[in-house]
Amino acid sequence: DAKTTQPPSMDCAEGRAANLPCNHSTISGNEYVYWYRQIHSQGPQYIIHGLKNNETNEMASLIITEDRKSSTLILPHATLRDTAVYYCIVRVASGTYKYIFGTGTRLKVLA
Amino acid sequence: GAVVSQHPSRVICKSGTSVKIECRSLDFQATTMFWYRQFPKQSLMLMATSNEGSKATYEQGVEKDKFLINHASLTLSTLTVTSAHPEDSSFYICSAKGRSPEGYTFGSGTRLTVV
């Protein structure tokens, strides 16, 4: 699986958009980008995933660059409950390939 | 959606004893489950891949005789920490893949404290 690089921490004001970047320059053509978040002392929670097109769901938007070497997770209106560690993972979608977690980004939403 | 239940959520045990952690897929069958360990302020570290009906595959540096994994059914994998020591105190998390395209579902984790 490709390795990902994320900034260790970010702050965001409540109500503003949180933009979390991820670099995955060695991603393969059949690997998807998955985003999870982990709130303190809980298991990771799925947020969104994509291959090459931008994706949006009720939680977030995922913007993937045209060369697929990086992506950005956007939380459009961050709330205090979005304070968590956000992990970007790349892997193939089919089969049971293991997830390898990087260091993630610790997002702190400020009141 | 896919739900993974992990039990217990917290356990305190004495040094030298063994502790079993259960991971169940509630609404789907999981031929493969994964076990992670997480120390405070660190990322999740994959320990092993649990395969139904066969031996688990352990990551480099993980002692298979200390962390016994049993995946006897399509909905249950167990992790037993044998002869636990204080340095085994950690947050243990399991995951499994359901049929949805959302990747893997994670359990809520087990906080193990060895005293």
Side-chain angles (χ1 to χ4, degrees):
Chain A
D1 290 335
K3 189 174 180 179
T4 60
T5 305
Q6 299 176 253
S9 64
M10 293 180 65
D11 289 343
C12 176
E14 188 178 20
R16 303 296 292 270
N19 298 287
L20 293 94
C22 179
N23 284 322
H24 32 79
S25 59
T26 59
I27 191 170
S28 299
N30 62 346
E31 288 183 314
Y32 285 68
V33 180
Y34 287 82
W35 281 84
Y36 283 78
R37 73 179 182 185
Q38 185 181 26
I39 297 171
H40 183 62
S41 294
Q42 297 182 25
Q45 174 192 21
Y46 167 84
I47 301 174
I48 198 167
H49 76 284
L51 181 63
K52 54 184 178 182
N53 297 321
N54 297 337
E55 302 288 345
T56 295
N57 63 19
E58 64 277 6
M59 290 183 69
S61 294
L62 174 61
I63 307 298
I64 303 174
T65 59
E66 193 169 341
D67 62 8
R68 303 208 324 122
K69 292 186 177 181
S70 66
S71 61
T72 300
L73 177 74
I74 301 172
L75 307 178
H77 305 287
T79 70
L80 298 178
R81 287 181 294 182
D82 292 322
T83 293
V85 179
Y86 288 77
Y87 295 100
C88 164
I89 300 168
V90 294
R91 54 149 295 193
V92 296
S94 60
T96 52
Y97 295 94
K98 55 191 179 185
Y99 277 177
I100 302 297
F101 283 80
T103 54
T105 296
R106 189 173 297 273
L107 175 68
K108 188 173 183 180
V109 180
L110 306 172
Chain B
V3 178
V4 172
S5 173
Q6 195 171 335
H7 180 81
S9 58
R10 286 180 180 273
V11 58
I12 301 173
C13 72
K14 291 185 177 180
S15 187
T17 62
S18 295
V19 174
K20 181 185 286 188
I21 302 170
E22 293 187 348
C23 180
R24 293 181 185 273
S25 55
L26 297 187
D27 50 359
F28 65 98
Q29 294 182 333
T31 56
T32 302
M33 292 185 178
F34 300 91
W35 287 95
Y36 293 83
R37 179 169 53 181
Q38 185 176 35
F39 293 109
K41 296 195 181 299
Q42 294 187 21
S43 184
L44 285 76
M45 184 182 72
L46 181 65
M47 298 176 67
T49 303
S50 170
N51 302 298
E52 187 268 335
S54 65
K55 291 183 179 180
T57 304
Y58 291 82
E59 295 298 304
Q60 192 173 6
V62 178
E63 300 175 59
K64 62 180 181 181
D65 294 330
K66 181 168 186 61
F67 299 99
L68 300 180
I69 292 172
N70 184 282
H71 194 155
S73 79
L74 288 172
T75 59
L76 175 64
S77 175
T78 61
L79 169 68
T80 300
V81 183
T82 63
S83 187
H85 291 285
E87 57 264 31
D88 298 323
S89 297
S90 188
F91 192 54
Y92 292 87
I93 307 168
C94 68
S95 73
K97 186 177 189 301
R99 285 191 294 272
S100 74
E102 297 175 352
Y104 294 166
T105 301
F106 289 81
S108 54
T110 297
R111 174 77 57 193
L112 170 64
T113 303
V114 185
V115 297

CSV table of all heavy atoms in Angstrom, one decimal, chain B residues 6-7 9 12 28 31 51 56 61 64 67 76 108 110:
chain,number,residue,atom,x,y,z
B,6,GLN,N,-17.1,-4.9,19.8
B,6,GLN,CA,-15.9,-5.4,20.5
B,6,GLN,C,-16.1,-5.4,22.0
B,6,GLN,O,-16.7,-4.5,22.5
B,6,GLN,CB,-14.7,-4.4,20.2
B,6,GLN,CG,-13.3,-4.9,20.5
B,6,GLN,CD,-12.2,-4.1,20.0
B,6,GLN,OE1,-12.4,-3.4,19.0
B,6,GLN,NE2,-11.1,-4.1,20.6
B,7,HIS,N,-15.7,-6.4,22.6
B,7,HIS,CA,-15.9,-6.6,24.1
B,7,HIS,C,-14.8,-7.3,24.8
B,7,HIS,O,-14.2,-8.2,24.2
B,7,HIS,CB,-17.2,-7.5,24.2
B,7,HIS,CG,-17.6,-7.7,25.6
B,7,HIS,ND1,-18.3,-6.8,26.4
B,7,HIS,CD2,-17.3,-8.8,26.5
B,7,HIS,CE1,-18.5,-7.3,27.6
B,7,HIS,NE2,-17.9,-8.5,27.7
B,9,SER,N,-15.1,-3.3,26.7
B,9,SER,CA,-14.6,-2.0,26.3
B,9,SER,C,-13.4,-1.6,27.2
B,9,SER,O,-12.5,-0.8,26.7
B,9,SER,CB,-15.7,-0.9,26.4
B,9,SER,OG,-16.2,-0.9,27.7
B,12,ILE,N,-9.2,-4.4,33.3
B,12,ILE,CA,-8.0,-4.3,34.2
B,12,ILE,C,-7.6,-5.6,34.6
B,12,ILE,O,-8.5,-6.4,35.1
B,12,ILE,CB,-8.2,-3.3,35.4
B,12,ILE,CG1,-8.7,-1.9,34.9
B,12,ILE,CG2,-7.0,-3.2,36.3
B,12,ILE,CD1,-9.1,-1.0,36.0
B,28,PHE,N,-22.9,-9.1,9.3
B,28,PHE,CA,-22.2,-9.6,8.1
B,28,PHE,C,-21.2,-10.7,8.5
B,28,PHE,O,-20.8,-10.8,9.7
B,28,PHE,CB,-21.6,-8.5,7.3
B,28,PHE,CG,-20.4,-7.8,8.1
B,28,PHE,CD1,-19.1,-8.2,7.8
B,28,PHE,CD2,-20.7,-6.9,9.0
B,28,PHE,CE1,-18.1,-7.6,8.5
B,28,PHE,CE2,-19.6,-6.2,9.7
B,28,PHE,CZ,-18.3,-6.6,9.4
B,31,THR,N,-14.6,-13.1,6.7
B,31,THR,CA,-13.6,-14.1,6.7
B,31,THR,C,-12.2,-13.6,7.1
B,31,THR,O,-11.4,-14.4,7.5
B,31,THR,CB,-13.4,-14.6,5.2
B,31,THR,OG1,-13.1,-13.5,4.4
B,31,THR,CG2,-14.7,-15.3,4.8
B,51,ASN,N,-7.7,-14.8,10.0
B,51,ASN,CA,-8.4,-15.5,8.9
B,51,ASN,C,-9.2,-16.6,9.4
B,51,ASN,O,-8.7,-17.5,10.2
B,51,ASN,CB,-7.3,-16.1,7.9
B,51,ASN,CG,-6.4,-15.0,7.4
B,51,ASN,OD1,-6.9,-14.1,6.7
B,51,ASN,ND2,-5.2,-15.1,7.6
B,56,ALA,N,-3.6,-17.1,12.0
B,56,ALA,CA,-3.4,-15.7,11.8
B,56,ALA,C,-2.1,-15.3,11.3
B,56,ALA,O,-1.1,-16.1,11.4
B,56,ALA,CB,-3.6,-14.9,13.1
B,61,GLY,N,7.6,-8.3,14.4
B,61,GLY,CA,7.8,-7.8,15.7
B,61,GLY,C,6.7,-8.1,16.7
B,61,GLY,O,6.8,-7.8,17.9
B,64,LYS,N,3.6,-14.0,18.3
B,64,LYS,CA,2.4,-14.8,18.1
B,64,LYS,C,2.0,-15.6,19.3
B,64,LYS,O,0.9,-16.0,19.5
B,64,LYS,CB,2.5,-15.6,16.9
B,64,LYS,CG,3.6,-16.7,16.9
B,64,LYS,CD,3.7,-17.5,15.6
B,64,LYS,CE,4.8,-18.5,15.7
B,64,LYS,NZ,4.9,-19.3,14.4
B,67,PHE,N,0.3,-13.0,21.8
B,67,PHE,CA,-1.0,-12.5,21.3
B,67,PHE,C,-1.7,-13.6,20.4
B,67,PHE,O,-1.5,-13.7,19.2
B,67,PHE,CB,-0.8,-11.2,20.5
B,67,PHE,CG,-0.2,-10.1,21.3
B,67,PHE,CD1,1.2,-9.8,21.2
B,67,PHE,CD2,-0.9,-9.3,22.1
B,67,PHE,CE1,1.7,-8.8,21.9
B,67,PHE,CE2,-0.4,-8.3,22.9
B,67,PHE,CZ,1.0,-8.0,22.7
B,76,LEU,N,-16.8,-14.1,14.4
B,76,LEU,CA,-16.1,-13.9,15.7
B,76,LEU,C,-14.6,-14.2,15.6
B,76,LEU,O,-14.1,-15.2,15.1
B,76,LEU,CB,-16.6,-14.8,16.8
B,76,LEU,CG,-15.9,-14.8,18.2
B,76,LEU,CD1,-16.1,-13.5,18.8
B,76,LEU,CD2,-16.5,-15.9,19.1
B,108,SER,N,-15.2,-0.6,18.6
B,108,SER,CA,-15.0,0.6,19.4
B,108,SER,C,-13.8,0.5,20.3
B,108,SER,O,-13.5,1.5,21.0
B,108,SER,CB,-16.3,0.7,20.3
B,108,SER,OG,-16.5,-0.5,21.0
B,110,THR,N,-10.8,-1.7,22.9
B,110,THR,CA,-10.7,-2.3,24.3
B,110,THR,C,-9.5,-1.6,24.9
B,110,THR,O,-8.4,-1.7,24.4
B,110,THR,CB,-10.6,-3.8,24.3
B,110,THR,OG1,-11.7,-4.4,23.7
B,110,THR,CG2,-10.3,-4.3,25.7
